[in-house]
Amino acid sequence: MQTQELARGFVDPVFAAQGVFRAAMWALSRPGRPQELATDLIPPAPLSPEAAALALALCDYETPVFLDAALAAERAVGDFLRFHTGAPIVAEPGQARFAFISNPLNMLEFSEFSQGIPEFPDASVTLILQVASFVDHGFTLEGPGIKGRLGFGAAPLPEHFAARMAANRTLFPRGIDLLLAGAGQVAGLPRSVAVKEG
Amino acid sequence: MTSQHTGEMPAISYNFAYLDEQTKRMIRRAILKAIAIPGYQVPFAAREMPMPYGWGTGGVQVTAAVLGPDDVLKVIDQGADDTTNAVAIRGFFEKTAGVATTTATTEATLIQTRHRIPETKLSENQILVYQVPIPEPLRFLEPRETETRQLHALEEYGLMHVKLYEDIARHGHIATTYAYPVEVAGRYVMDPSPIPKFDNPKMDDCPALQLFGAGREKRIYAIPPYTTVRSLDFEDHPFKVQRFAKPCALCAATGVYLDEVILDDRGGRMFVCSDTDYCNARQAEGHRGEMAAPVSSSGGAVLPHPTPLPHGEREQGDAPSLTLTARGAPEGAGEGPFGAEIAS
Ligand SMILES: [Zn+2]
């Protein structure tokens, strides 16, 4: 196998990071409303450009990163993230502050990840799930950031997704937060959101 | 003036919005968790800023982490865009980020504020950043940080209710008029910063994102859009906002927060909008209060907003130097000749 050249990072790191952060900020402020996330990154597969952009904007040496099996299997993915963010890649999901999931269908249980402690519920993971598409139905969302109710769906999602999110909601203020990275978009499902089937 | 447009090399080159990228990332992560846990105070490693703490370094750091080149920034202090504190912070971001600034609430994408929420209803695409001197609502009741963390974790807010009830026992009503505690999304009790309780209802179900930064105590907290924010009260003593006996003397607005302005040394005074942008806009639309100049045939120039005299505002740990130029606002319920609170 040939030595691959390391894929480049943001062309304009300051403004790219700011723009990606703002997309993530509005995504978590408006649960279930996909926000535009434009990026020119070409990361090694199966890491998606949008997930890579979130990593470069939010991760650094202070944030241990967990990769799911498909991402961890590609050495270039870990090299790319380590080089551009300085984040340590950890094998133990419970140690991660960010976890990148390229294959949500068979992802770990939420309880495998750090959910914070009662005095510091913020000391919890943010899961970044790579999805292919968003729709406005399948689940009904309620909670802070949502005026009334909102229909939302994405694919692929882990099975028993509503039950997982309901269990996560019962832990509040502990819990995990989700950013769903789709093509040119990011949607947020913070722990505060109530997700129901239908 | 921005260094970008002078065509010369600036004397000092800044990181965009002053902070280094690592610090911005750390603050941004804190902001994301703050949004996910409405009303919870996220600790962050605050940086030294080139201004004293009382000047809103927490708010400045939040703004610096959020701000982008396309933002339009408005900075207000006690409702006014032209006070020393507001001018200094606006100038800081003009210089370090080159962003466009405005005094018009409707044109701003990001509004940094000290002590007020604008009268104009905020919209979905706006961010309101509050400067916070003391973020912990339980601090005056329990000085130990480990204890207040426990109380929040257990949702044990009995102390706060006892304090408010003592007010009722002593004064016949809840005497707290500033930094009046709120419950956010049915869970955390939060200090809304020293805004008048008049502004508390504006936080409830607000379409804008509200972010709070405390520099000295290194805390960031948030209220997402469309979130329930309830001012603490009792069934027999429901929460009430201050009311003013007369409309604004310049624009005739009612249902807004008014400042007292001393007109002369013979006791002459008038009450005008604390929110100068709101007042100026109303005057430009032709609204005239009892002290306003008559409408001219040409459509009427806006009366320059007078600067109220300072009157010894309690600073709640904020920089005392700011009292020299800060616009005053009534402090205690029913104090002095201010618009009296309608007592039940
Ligand atoms: Zn007015």
Side-chain angles (χ1 to χ4, degrees), chain A residues 74-98:
Chain A
E74 289 300 323
R75 192 179 161 170
V77 170
D79 289 347
F80 174 86
L81 291 174
R82 261 190 300 266
F83 180 81
H84 289 298
T85 70
I89 311 280
V90 294
E92 172 56 48
Q95 293 175 353
R97 298 307 285 265
F98 287 90

Side-chain angles (χ1 to χ4, degrees), chain B residues 247-254 256-258 271-276 278-283 287 289 305:
Chain B
C248 170
L250 296 178
C251 78
T254 56
V256 297
Y257 197 75
L258 303 180
F271 293 92
V272 299
C273 292
S274 147
D275 183 334
T276 52
Y278 182 81
C279 196
N280 289 340
R282 277 182 56 86
Q283 290 178 66
H287 297 281
H305 213 87

Side-chain angles (χ1 to χ4, degrees), chain B residues 225-244:
Chain B
Y226 305 117
T227 296
T228 303
V229 178
R230 192 179 66 80
S231 299
L232 300 187
D233 65 356
F234 301 93
E235 226 166 82
D236 49 343
H237 287 273
F239 174 79
K240 284 196 185 72
V241 299
Q242 296 102 321
R243 297 246 182 84
F244 295 88

